[in-house]
Amino acid sequence: WPYCRKRCSYCNFNAYVVPAVDEAAVRACLVREAQTLLRLGQVHSVSSVFFGRGTPSLASPGTVAAVLEAVAVAAHLPAGAEVTLEANPSSTSTSRLAGFRAAGVNRLSIGVQSLDDAELRMLGREHTAAEARKAVEAARGLFPGRTSIDLLFGLPGQSRDAWAQRLEAALGLCDDHISLYQLTLERGTALAAQVRGGALPAPPQDLLADMYQTARTVLAAAGFRHYEVSNFARKGALSTHNLSYWRAEQYIGVGPGAHGRFVPRGEGSCSREARVQTLEPVAWMWEVQSQGHGTRSRAVLSPLEQLEELLTLGLRTDEGVTHERWGHFSPQLSLQAVFGAPGEARALQQQGWLVLDSGGLRCTWAGLAVLDSLLPDLLWQLQR
Amino acid sequence: GIQAQTVANFYLAFEAQLSIIPVINKIDLKNADPERVEKQIEKLFDIPTDECIRISAKQGTNVEKVLQKVIEKIPPPQCNTADPLKALVFDSTFDHYRGVIANIALFGGEIAKGHKIVSAHTKKRYEVNEVGILTPDEQPTHKLYAGQVGYLIAGMKEVAEAQIGDTLFLYKQPVEPLPGFKSAKPMVFAGMYPIDQTEYNNLKSALERLTLNDSSVTVHRDSSLALGAGWRLGFLGLLHMEVFNQRLEQEYNMSVILTAPTVPYKAVLSSAKLIKEYGKDQITIINPAQFPDKLSVSEYLEPTVLGTIVTPHEYIGKIITLCQDRRAVQKDMLYIDENRVMLKYLFPLNEIVVDFYDALKSLSSGYASFDYEDAGYQSADLIKMDILLNGNPVEELATIIHNDKAHAAGKLLCERLKETIPRQLFEIAIQAAIGKKIIARETLKAYRKNVVAKCYGGDITRRMKLLKRQAEGKRLMRKIGNVEVPRDAFIRVLKRETDK
């Protein structure tokens, strides 16, 4: 759902703020595109659905229901499949949430970002900390054990102590899943401009590193499993959908700007493709109406490219890249063959950043924090 | 009014015992003050004011007077048409249709179409197709006589065949070759490298062609670990270098990397072994890698220049400070009129080769002028400064520098390197050292967190692109010890500051 009521100061997503949304038209297009693409991929069964981008909680439960129904008809949507909806605290009244649950949503991800009003204002968020609390409580009531909250750290001017307080507050409030993101100052956002212009201080690198380590430690102590760079879950409440990204499984993107990775068997292809749907909603709708889907670009991924993606994404998880998953993409060349031989990976292992064993290839606790320094070496080794 | 170069040129002409005709130009400008300038000339050069000719080249005023004065005052060339042909080649150009056009000055004899001539330098024989004078366009004539200046076309195919400074004479009538141009001493050296090694040959031929028409540029082949094969060029001055670089870009479409200029230091060797190796006891050091150790040397020498600065008096203080900062010694100070002062300073050459001129101009709002001439060598406390990364020396960043300036320069280099080397998984100590002694240090801290926060559907493609580019970049990395340094880090650090 690409629409938002307001653009946050740090956001550079494909999101649009428009005065009025023709929901019926958008709904029809989402349904149509979902059907087209599911058929194109000859999908038998859908393991998870994720409503994201922009502010999906602004859409009506009816739209969500329509899309889910279309999915169930075109493919098979098992009863226990994870269906997540991203929500903003300002559009999550209990009744609304109940409506979503009735429509088929069984997991909620709330963009809390911060539990401090001043920070929320700096981020340009629409809600207060109090409203965020209420929203989380409402969500936990309707989706117990299946509520996740998003938090940001490394805000301009945020001190170590302030962050420690936020963490504590969040722990007191959260359910069993937290997504913790370091604020990235993207070019072109209002917040980045403020920092660049000197109105706000840029957070020093060391402080960010400290905050991250603090978070990891504190959450670990609270029983959370750090299963991906930015995602923590306890009692097994991992996000199935997101895991499929990091395991390089197949997924279909529906809606303006959505991304997909699947094999369009319906066209007779056997190659995994990287696809992006048209960004601009109006253009997207027009394409969906005339051709059934608004795919802007599609590119076949070579075997090397698929392995590169698997490596880059897999290493973000604590499970890493398993031998089995690797074998799926590279039946001839095993993980051991590529990374076990003397070379960059071996050196990184010796330095304590990586582990290659019977479980596969994965980062150590320290390695995960500096993954992007390890990846170029590994990719280079893979290419050779 | 009188600029520093006016003075320099006057003395050059005076010492060569040439006749001097003072001409004051641009009298048409509103703020022209010919009287004041005439007084300056009289005071400085001892030439009576009534000898000066005031002209406006733009409007043509009094220009004929100049021509008349030339005829009156300038003595005719001392040569004889009855002598055997002796022509000096002082320039050459290439015309696609007519071949090489050599500009010549005849010091004896005469030359016409059909004559068979020989080049003293290449010993090749040619037949003259055409001779003529330059008005300034080529105007063919029947003959050129001793004392004249003109051009000649003789079937030469390549510009190399008409070397500047060469002597031409008639076949079967060889003459003593003319001394040619005394090759001007290069004062400023700069390393020049192609941006990419694949451009090496193109740059090589561009350099050959450019230096043919500019014999004052010296060329030595050189190579650096970071930048590949290139050259160390010697120029008469910074301006010369700038112009050369611009011509390379405009006329030959070549972009090059210019590294910081260095000057030719000398060392008087005291080690018998080295004296034997070099064949002499005094050597010129162009490349820091050749710097002989203190133990083998009885004296280091640095080139100096006598610089002349002419400035309005309000800037004297700042300029004196600037000169002192550059280890210069004042030799003279003189008011050339009520407002302007002429300062003479003896500078170590290496103190002015980078940005002295710019600094002078900026603190005098452009009013100060500067010129200099070679003033021989002086003893100097020179050292070789090495740059170390985690203890490993980086050869291409080594510099020869005066002991007094080492700390500041070392610190600057370390700071610049810190900005250009990317952070790595371990700490990097960037140090400047003289021998074993560390004189400056910067520390590049290790990455403690370097992983992108979000990587979901849409982010993946972008991430892959970025990471793959970084992986590619790894290939171009230089590894010094365990430190990975991108190739352009050196370039950025070595580049002349004004280019940044």
Side-chain angles (χ1 to χ4, degrees):
Chain A
W1 190 256
Y3 301 103
C4 289
R5 269 209 290 257
K6 179 182 163 205
R7 182 178 278 276
C8 301
S9 66
Y10 58 93
C11 170
N12 72 334
F13 278 177
N14 180 40
Y16 297 80
V17 182
V18 297
V21 176
D22 181 355
E23 179 142 9
V26 179
R27 174 191 315 185
C29 288
L30 286 173
V31 164
R32 178 98 190 272
E33 186 168 64
Q35 288 168 337
T36 312
L37 293 179
L38 280 167
R39 253 176 249 136
L40 183 57
Q42 289 187 346
V43 178
H44 299 297
S45 175
V46 172
S47 50
S48 62
V49 181
F50 193 98
F51 290 86
R53 288 303 164 97
T55 314
S57 51
L58 285 177
S60 70
T63 299
V64 171
V67 172
L68 288 173
E69 205 192 302
V71 170
V73 164
H76 169 61
L77 186 60
E82 181 188 89
V83 178
T84 316
L85 182 85
E86 278 191 329
N88 234 4
S90 44
S91 48
T92 48
S93 64
T94 313
S95 55
R96 204 174 174 77
L97 289 180
F100 283 126
R101 190 174 70 169
V105 173
N106 53 36
R107 186 171 174 271
L108 207 70
S109 172
I110 307 187
V112 172
Q113 317 307 355
S114 167
L115 285 169
D116 174 80
D117 284 332
E119 287 179 0
L120 286 169
R121 271 195 300 275
M122 171 168 53
L123 293 171
R125 299 292 289 167
E126 265 195 315
H127 55 94
T128 62
E131 284 165 356
R133 283 179 193 280
K134 267 181 64 184
V136 175
E137 277 157 16
R140 288 183 70 182
L142 287 163
F143 307 96
R146 311 266 270 169
T147 302
S148 168
I149 61 172
D150 278 6
L151 280 179
L152 288 175
F153 71 90
L155 273 51
Q158 191 181 51
S159 72
R160 225 173 252 115
D161 289 333
W163 171 235
Q165 284 168 18
R166 300 293 158 271
L167 264 179
E168 237 193 272
L171 274 176
L173 171 70
C174 69
D175 197 9
D176 293 328
H177 190 283
I178 299 183
S179 294
L180 198 65
Y181 301 113
Q182 177 177 311
L183 176 67
T184 338
L185 293 165
E186 304 276 6
R187 224 164 18 139
T189 60
L191 198 58
Q194 282 180 298
V195 173
R196 215 171 351 114
L200 289 173
Q205 284 293 317
D206 275 337
L207 180 59
L208 294 172
D210 281 340
M211 286 181 173
Y212 186 57
Q213 303 296 38
T214 306
R216 292 171 94 182
T217 320
V218 168
L219 289 174
F224 282 85
R225 172 182 157 192
H226 187 186
Y227 74 98
E228 192 264 354
V229 171
S230 303
N231 286 281
F232 302 76
R234 63 183 167 192
K235 301 190 201 140
L238 287 76
S239 163
T240 319
H241 191 85
N242 289 338
L243 271 177
S244 73
Y245 291 143
W246 303 316
R247 287 194 182 131
E249 288 168 14
Q250 293 194 64
Y251 51 95
I252 297 179
V254 177
H259 286 245
R261 293 277 189 282
F262 63 95
V263 180
R265 294 187 200 284
E267 285 176 356
S269 160
C270 318
S271 320
R272 184 178 164 101
E273 287 183 4
R275 289 169 158 251
V276 186
Q277 308 310 98
T278 301
L279 260 61
E280 213 280 307
V282 173
W284 170 77
M285 278 198 276
W286 194 88
E287 283 170 45
V288 173
Q289 280 156 0
S290 57
Q291 290 153 23
H293 64 108
T295 304
R296 177 50 59 87
S297 79
R298 44 184 288 204
V300 170
L301 291 171
S302 70
L304 175 62
E305 283 170 332
Q306 292 177 37
L307 281 174
E308 285 171 343
E309 281 193 356
L310 176 62
L311 188 69
T312 308
L313 297 168
L315 286 178
R316 291 179 67 88
T317 62
D318 63 351
E319 162 187 279
V321 180
T322 60
H323 291 290
E324 186 224 341
R325 202 71 201 124
W326 182 267
H328 179 84
F329 289 95
S330 170
Q332 322 291 59
L333 208 57
S334 72
L335 261 181
Q336 188 65 33
V338 178
F339 298 112
E344 285 84 344
R346 179 80 78 81
L348 291 172
Q349 276 182 73
Q350 282 165 350
Q351 290 164 28
W353 307 113
L354 278 184
V355 167
L356 174 61
D357 59 17
S358 56
L361 179 71
R362 62 189 174 284
C363 289
T364 59
W365 198 84
L368 193 60
V370 292
L371 178 59
D372 289 354
S373 293
L374 312 176
L375 279 171
D377 272 340
L378 294 174
L379 285 172
W380 177 221
Q381 190 173 16
L382 175 61
Q383 278 171 19
R384 295 202 311 272
Chain B
I2 294 205
Q3 306 292 319
Q5 60 265 31
T6 321
V7 177
N9 289 333
F10 171 79
Y11 283 125
L12 272 177
F14 191 76
E15 279 156 32
Q17 294 179 329
L18 299 173
S19 321
I20 296 172
I21 301 175
V23 176
I24 300 172
N25 193 13
K26 303 193 191 177
I27 56 172
D28 56 300
L29 287 179
K30 245 195 242 167
N31 56 352
D33 189 353
E35 257 188 56
R36 187 169 74 90
V37 181
E38 278 169 3
K39 285 212 182 69
Q40 283 178 349
I41 292 177
E42 186 167 44
K43 178 162 183 190
L44 225 53
F45 306 136
D46 227 357
I47 298 178
T49 50
D50 55 8
E51 292 235 349
C52 301
I53 310 174
R54 306 179 185 189
I55 70 166
S56 162
K58 181 175 173 192
Q59 293 173 350
T61 321
N62 285 335
V63 172
E64 344 75 57
K65 286 221 188 110
V66 178
L67 290 172
Q68 276 170 17
K69 259 290 170 59
V70 169
I71 296 172
E72 262 176 49
K73 294 209 74 185
I74 310 265
Q78 300 292 320
C79 50
N80 201 332
T81 49
D83 287 342
L85 173 65
K86 201 179 201 187
L88 173 71
V89 178
F90 63 87
D91 199 2
S92 64
T93 47
F94 186 77
D95 181 293
H96 200 66
Y97 299 106
R98 294 147 86 207
V100 176
I101 304 174
N103 288 12
I104 55 174
L106 273 84
F107 283 83
E110 41 185 64
I111 190 165
K113 178 172 171 167
H115 283 179
K116 297 199 179 20
I117 55 168
V118 179
S119 147
H121 180 80
T122 64
K123 312 274 189 289
K124 275 196 181 161
R125 236 194 306 169
Y126 302 96
E127 182 175 313
V128 178
N129 291 336
E130 183 181 320
V131 294
I133 55 174
L134 302 161
T135 58
D137 294 327
E138 289 135 22
Q139 196 181 305
T141 61
H142 172 60
K143 236 191 217 182
L144 281 178
Y145 299 92
Q148 278 191 301
V149 167
Y151 71 91
L152 162 157
I153 303 180
M156 296 169 183
K157 301 284 187 338
E158 289 191 2
V159 187
E161 299 178 66
Q163 287 275 335
I164 295 176
D166 196 4
T167 305
L168 301 173
F169 50 84
L170 285 177
Y171 182 52
K172 292 278 188 0
Q173 292 185 44
V175 297
E176 266 298 310
L178 291 159
F181 292 145
K182 191 166 68 165
S183 50
K185 231 179 294 127
M187 280 292 156
V188 171
F189 286 79
M192 183 176 285
Y193 296 86
I195 295 228
D196 191 87
Q197 281 296 286
T198 57
E199 291 285 302
Y200 180 82
N201 283 326
N202 288 342
L203 182 52
K204 179 160 179 268
S205 53
L207 277 180
E208 280 169 3
R209 268 181 280 158
L210 251 186
T211 52
L212 215 34
N213 271 354
D214 186 354
S215 59
S216 55
V217 177
T218 62
V219 181
H220 295 270
R221 250 188 279 221
D222 200 3
S223 71
S224 119
L225 282 169
L227 303 167
W231 297 265
R232 209 157 272 265
L233 303 171
F235 298 95
L236 299 177
L238 268 184
L239 180 61
H240 189 197
M241 177 165 75
E242 301 261 9
V243 169
F244 191 84
N245 193 30
Q246 275 187 25
R247 285 187 71 187
L248 259 183
E249 282 186 26
Q250 287 169 7
E251 292 170 35
Y252 296 88
N253 210 21
M254 288 248 80
S255 288
V256 297
I257 299 166
L258 275 181
T259 62
T262 56
V263 299
Y265 293 105
K266 287 200 205 241
V268 178
L269 300 168
S270 60
S271 143
K273 178 170 146 233
L274 282 180
I275 295 177
K276 195 161 167 212
E277 200 181 302
Y278 284 107
K280 46 191 168 162
D281 66 347
Q282 195 182 85
I283 55 163
T284 307
I285 312 161
I286 301 180
N287 195 323
Q290 302 168 321
F291 196 73
D293 192 70
K294 203 162 169 185
L295 298 169
S296 323
V297 166
S298 61
E299 197 184 19
Y300 290 113
L301 302 164
E302 63 177 347
T304 61
V305 295
L306 187 61
T308 308
I309 302 172
V310 175
T311 171
H313 64 184
E314 50 262 41
Y315 305 109
I316 294 179
K318 286 198 216 169
I319 291 178
I320 290 181
T321 311
L322 176 67
C323 295
Q324 283 173 343
D325 190 47
R326 302 302 176 108
R327 299 194 290 123
V329 172
Q330 192 180 92
K331 292 291 176 188
D332 199 0
M333 179 157 130
L334 155 71
Y335 269 83
I336 57 175
D337 64 30
E338 312 85 65
N339 297 313
R340 293 164 76 194
V341 182
M342 185 177 83
L343 299 156
K344 277 193 189 268
Y345 270 90
L346 186 69
F347 290 90
L349 179 61
N350 79 324
E351 292 295 337
I352 62 163
V353 293
V354 180
D355 59 355
F356 174 77
Y357 190 68
D358 290 81
L360 180 71
K361 279 289 180 183
S362 88
L363 50 79
S364 65
S365 302
Y367 285 106
S369 65
F370 182 69
D371 200 5
Y372 61 91
E373 48 183 73
D374 177 27
Y377 278 80
Q378 75 184 8
S379 190
D381 184 9
L382 301 176
I383 48 102
K384 175 176 172 218
M385 185 171 72
D386 285 312
I387 299 292
L388 309 170
L389 289 180
N390 276 355
N392 297 301
V394 183
E395 195 206 291
E396 49 270 67
L397 292 177
T399 46
I400 300 171
I401 197 169
H402 193 273
N403 210 358
D404 294 346
K405 297 281 174 137
H407 177 79
K411 189 156 187 290
L412 181 65
L413 253 180
C414 288
E415 280 168 8
R416 278 222 222 151
L417 260 180
K418 183 178 174 180
E419 282 163 34
T420 49
I421 298 180
R423 289 174 81 166
Q424 288 165 49
L425 291 170
F426 43 81
E427 195 173 85
I428 300 175
I430 304 171
Q431 297 164 313
I434 303 175
K436 292 235 174 13
K437 185 167 143 211
I438 308 288
I439 57 168
R441 179 192 167 124
E442 289 290 328
T443 311
L444 188 60
K445 292 208 257 199
Y447 257 133
R448 287 175 51 220
K449 182 173 190 290
N450 181 26
V451 61
V452 80
K454 289 196 187 199
C455 206
Y456 304 110
D459 311 310
I460 298 175
T461 319
R462 251 183 313 158
R463 278 311 288 162
M464 293 315 301
K465 272 199 206 139
L466 181 59
L467 283 168
K468 284 181 28 174
R469 226 177 326 134
Q470 286 177 341
E472 277 292 307
K474 290 265 166 177
R475 224 189 303 181
L476 302 172
M477 293 275 193
R478 272 257 292 144
K479 239 183 159 162
I480 314 255
N482 58 352
V483 180
E484 270 169 0
V485 185
R487 283 191 81 214
D488 75 339
F490 290 134
I491 294 164
R492 298 214 313 249
V493 168
L494 288 172
K495 241 181 168 183
R496 293 187 57 221
E497 261 192 70
T498 46
D499 287 337
K500 274 177 105 175

